[in-house]
């Protein structure tokens, strides 16, 4: 019986890793290796400003329940790893900027918020559904994207596994991953 349970456990782990690879897999060919956004405070944000950090660009909307569900994980990730990760939230499909900022405040968003549209999104890649998250590696190259909800755990696992493949990039230690 124990052998059967162990086999199931191993299969579960393999299935989880396979799903993670599918979830965080192929990156579309980016039209450019950069973007320039202006956040809600008027500050210019460019991909080149964050060289040496992983950059997550998260497209979301206030009316999108999965978007709102993933924001606490993104805030937690950003707050715990500011030295090696930048998160930029791009609010899409909004009518009133004040509504976006109220949601951001209510969710304790500490990373920059950009008021976006499809034209702005094209600087990064296609955004056909929300949420959509693009990840750029510390060299500023597109690494992966995910349509749908993303978790801190999956993002950290992807970044930690892929940090070894990037020159001058150090994977985060286990102590930095706590606090979820």
């Amino acid at each position: 019986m124990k052998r059967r349970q162990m086999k199931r456990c191993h299969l579960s782990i393999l299935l989880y890793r396979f799903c993670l690879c599918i979830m965080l897999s192929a990156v579309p060919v980016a039209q450019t290796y950069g973007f320039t956004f202006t956040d809600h405070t008027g500050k210019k944000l460019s991909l080149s400003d964050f060289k040496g950090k992983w950059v997550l660009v998260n497209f979301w909307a206030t009316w999108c329940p999965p978007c709102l569900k993933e924001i606490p994980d993104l805030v937690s990730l950003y707050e715990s790893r500011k030295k090696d990760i930048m998160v930029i939230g791009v609010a899409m499909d909004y009518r009133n900027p004040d509504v976006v900022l109220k949601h951001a405040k209510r969710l304790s968003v500490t990373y920059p918020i950009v008021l976006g549209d499809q034209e702005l999104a094209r600087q990064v890649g296609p955004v056909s559904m929300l949420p959509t998250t693009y990840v750029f590696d510390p060299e500023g190259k597109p690494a992966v994207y995910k349509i749908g909800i993303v978790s801190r755990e999956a993002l950290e696992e992807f970044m930690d596994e892929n940090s070894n493949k990037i020159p001058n990039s150090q994977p985060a230690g286990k102590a930095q991953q706590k606090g979820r």
Side-chain angles (χ1 to χ4, degrees):
M1 187 67 171
K2 283 189 177 190
R3 188 172 214 142
R4 182 182 241 172
Q5 289 174 330
M6 202 165 198
K7 211 174 199 181
R8 281 187 185 159
C9 182
H10 286 301
L11 285 173
S12 295
I13 291 170
L14 286 172
L15 182 61
Y16 170 78
R17 287 190 174 269
F18 175 76
C19 290
L20 181 66
C21 289
I22 296 296
M23 179 185 82
L24 295 172
S25 62
V27 175
V29 177
Q31 295 164 5
T32 65
Y33 274 41
F35 56 77
T36 302
F37 299 153
T38 303
D39 75 8
H40 72 284
T41 67
K43 182 178 179 185
K44 292 269 188 209
L45 306 170
S46 296
L47 181 59
S48 60
D49 295 339
F50 307 111
K51 194 101 170 147
K53 290 185 176 191
W54 288 92
V55 177
L56 286 68
V57 181
N58 175 252
F59 294 92
W60 65 286
T62 59
W63 50 262
C64 167
C67 300
L68 301 177
K69 183 178 179 182
E70 75 182 356
I71 286 176
D73 263 9
L74 295 174
V75 170
S76 174
L77 177 65
Y78 174 69
E79 283 300 315
S80 68
R81 294 184 57 176
K82 284 182 182 179
K83 69 176 184 156
D84 69 333
I85 293 175
M86 170 50 83
V87 177
I88 300 170
V90 181
M92 303 286 285
D93 298 336
Y94 65 92
R95 289 195 177 128
N96 183 345
D98 291 337
V99 172
V100 172
L101 299 177
K102 283 179 186 174
H103 271 80
K105 184 176 182 177
R106 183 179 59 80
L107 293 165
S108 302
V109 175
T110 52
Y111 50 80
I113 296 293
V114 174
L115 302 172
D117 56 23
Q118 286 298 327
E119 185 178 327
L120 179 134
R122 277 192 284 277
Q123 292 184 64
V124 178
V127 177
S128 59
M129 292 175 43
L130 297 173
T132 295
T133 303
Y134 283 85
V135 179
F136 294 85
D137 71 20
E139 293 180 342
K141 295 177 185 167
V144 73
Y145 81 108
K146 167 76 167 81
I147 297 172
I149 196 166
V150 69
S151 71
R152 175 183 177 169
E153 180 182 306
L155 288 166
E156 284 189 309
E157 185 171 328
F158 174 81
M159 290 182 288
D160 290 346
E161 285 178 2
N162 288 281
S163 288
N164 298 336
K165 299 173 186 173
I166 301 166
N168 302 320
S169 182
Q170 300 288 325
K174 294 286 181 200
Q176 292 174 319
Q177 294 182 13
K178 292 183 181 177
R180 194 183 147 137

